Amino acid sequence: MGFWKKLLNNSAAATAPQDNIFEGDMIITKRETAPETRICFSTQRELDLYELEELCDRVGWARRPLRKVRKALQHSFLVVSMWEVRGKSKRLIGFARATSDHAFNATIWDVVVDPEYQSKGLGKALMKYLIKKLRGEDISNITLFADPGVIDFYRRLGFMLDPEGIKGMFWYPD
Ligand SMILES: CC(C)(COP(=O)(O)OP(=O)(O)OC[C@H]1O[C@@H](n2cnc3c(N)ncnc32)[C@H](O)[C@@H]1OP(=O)(O)O)[C@@H](O)C(=O)NCCC(=O)NCCS
């Protein structure tokens, strides 16, 4: 079910008329009885790393040293965070980043949506935003490494598995 359809079908929506607007970098949900809720995207790379860690914890990812996470963010080509903004409060609900050679290639890493906000179309919106930004930088070859359980999520966004038989290869230290 689509994000908007879902929102319109929830109980709050059933009693309060609402008006959903998609405005470029922002998804806005207006309800008469509740403060306006906005879903916003940001490319600021200065994030609260503890908040990011909590988000990653919520999907069960292994913890990583914060100094390395900080370095990874600093050296990423693009960092995208997704926020729920309600009045003056904001909450980090999604994240993704990409590394790049700044000319031809970019690789997407660390795509995550808070479990509370999953299955509402927000992962798709986050990915589309990221891809739009990469295409805006004239990057034409966008790759990623998909966990087996999310291959279809990426497929729906146009990613191909092993195009022309190309295989991803990994080297790990012994
Ligand atoms: C994968 C993830 C980012 C998807 O976010 P989401 O907000 O739940 O996804 P959406 O609601 O935008 O889904 C978009 C579409 O993909 C589909 N989809 C979502 N997750 C899927 C999955 N795991 N497998 C197959 N399809 C999936 C949805 O059904 C929807 O289909 P539709 O467009 O036909 O309606 C989210 O589940 C997540 O953070 N998972 C944990 C972290 C993770 O595994 N990240 C990926 C690492 S490679």
Side-chain angles (χ1 to χ4, degrees), residues 45 74-78 98-107 134 137-141:
R45 65 187 66 221
Q74 277 167 358
H75 293 277
S76 289
F77 180 64
L78 183 62
T99 49
S100 175
D101 59 13
H102 295 223
F104 304 107
N105 306 290
T107 304
L134 292 174
E137 297 291 334
D138 203 22
I139 302 286
S140 52
N141 190 28

Side-chain angles (χ1 to χ4, degrees), residues 52 55-56 59 61-62 64 68-69 72-73 76 79-80 94-99 107-113 126-127 130 144-145 154:
L52 179 59
L55 173 63
C56 296
V59 296
W61 283 353
R64 302 178 293 188
K68 283 199 153 198
V69 174
L73 261 56
S76 289
V79 173
V80 174
F95 178 84
R97 68 186 179 93
T99 49
T107 304
I108 296 173
W109 305 94
D110 301 338
V111 178
V112 57
V113 172
L126 174 70
M127 284 295 294
L130 181 70
L144 53 80
F145 300 96
Y154 292 123

Side-chain angles (χ1 to χ4, degrees), residues 111-113 118-124 147 149 152-154 156:
V111 178
V112 57
V113 172
Q118 288 178 11
S119 306
K120 299 176 194 301
L122 292 174
K124 189 174 173 175
D147 288 340
D152 282 340
F153 166 70
Y154 292 123
R156 282 178 163 86

Side-chain angles (χ1 to χ4, degrees), residues 1-7 20-22 24-29 31 37-41 55 80-86 91-96 111-131 153-154 157:
M1 189 188 290
F3 178 43
W4 305 128
K5 222 170 171 182
K6 214 158 187 170
L7 270 174
N20 298 307
I21 310 163
F22 187 85
D25 297 352
M26 211 181 274
I27 299 166
I28 303 175
T29 303
R31 294 198 185 97
T37 300
R38 290 176 295 147
I39 305 291
C40 300
F41 298 102
L55 173 63
V80 174
S81 50
M82 183 166 66
W83 301 84
E84 183 190 66
V85 182
R86 218 176 267 199
R91 177 176 172 182
L92 180 67
I93 60 165
F95 178 84
V111 178
V112 57
V113 172
D114 187 316
E116 243 185 77
Y117 295 80
Q118 288 178 11
S119 306
K120 299 176 194 301
L122 292 174
K124 189 174 173 175
L126 174 70
M127 284 295 294
K128 284 194 161 182
Y129 181 79
L130 181 70
I131 292 165
F153 166 70
Y154 292 123
L157 287 157

Side-chain angles (χ1 to χ4, degrees), residues 40-51:
C40 300
F41 298 102
S42 168
T43 53
Q44 288 281 322
R45 65 187 66 221
E46 288 79 28
L47 290 175
D48 179 337
L49 296 187
Y50 294 99
E51 206 175 356

